[in-house]
Amino acid sequence: MTSQTIETAWPAEVLFRFLTIVGATVDVIPQPSQSLPHRHAATCRGCEATNFNAIGVSNDLKKWAQAHSENCRALPRPTA
Ligand SMILES: [Zn+2]
């Protein structure tokens, strides 16, 4: 496996971050809407798969993020 750099500075809204096997991240962030003020999302920065819940950061949401990070092989799009 090649060496990888784990970002030390997270975006302010990221509550939990899971590292995928290829170095992308799955980030858990608040994503409230008008009807769902406690909605949170887990979003993969590699393949952009997203899972939502409406009740805050639940164990189910973290489990999804953990499981996705263990299997996803999509690389994030280069920013430069
Ligand atoms: Zn993914």
Side-chain angles (χ1 to χ4, degrees):
M1 189 174 218
T2 58
S3 65
Q4 57 192 11
T5 303
I6 298 172
E7 290 179 54
T8 54
W10 294 8
E13 75 273 15
V14 174
L15 302 174
F16 297 95
R17 174 166 272 186
F18 298 80
L19 184 65
T20 73
I21 55 179
V22 294
T25 59
V26 181
D27 293 339
V28 176
I29 59 172
Q31 203 168 72
S33 67
Q34 202 156 23
S35 59
L36 298 170
H38 301 293
R39 185 170 84 154
H40 282 64
T43 300
C44 177
R45 304 303 183 190
C47 72
E48 300 182 352
T50 300
N51 195 13
F52 297 99
N53 78 13
I55 58 169
V57 179
S58 67
N59 283 336
D60 283 350
L61 194 63
K62 287 191 280 188
K63 276 184 193 167
W64 182 90
Q66 175 73 46
H68 188 88
S69 70
E70 290 172 358
N71 292 297
C72 184
R73 294 177 185 272
L75 289 167
R77 183 179 296 277
T79 53

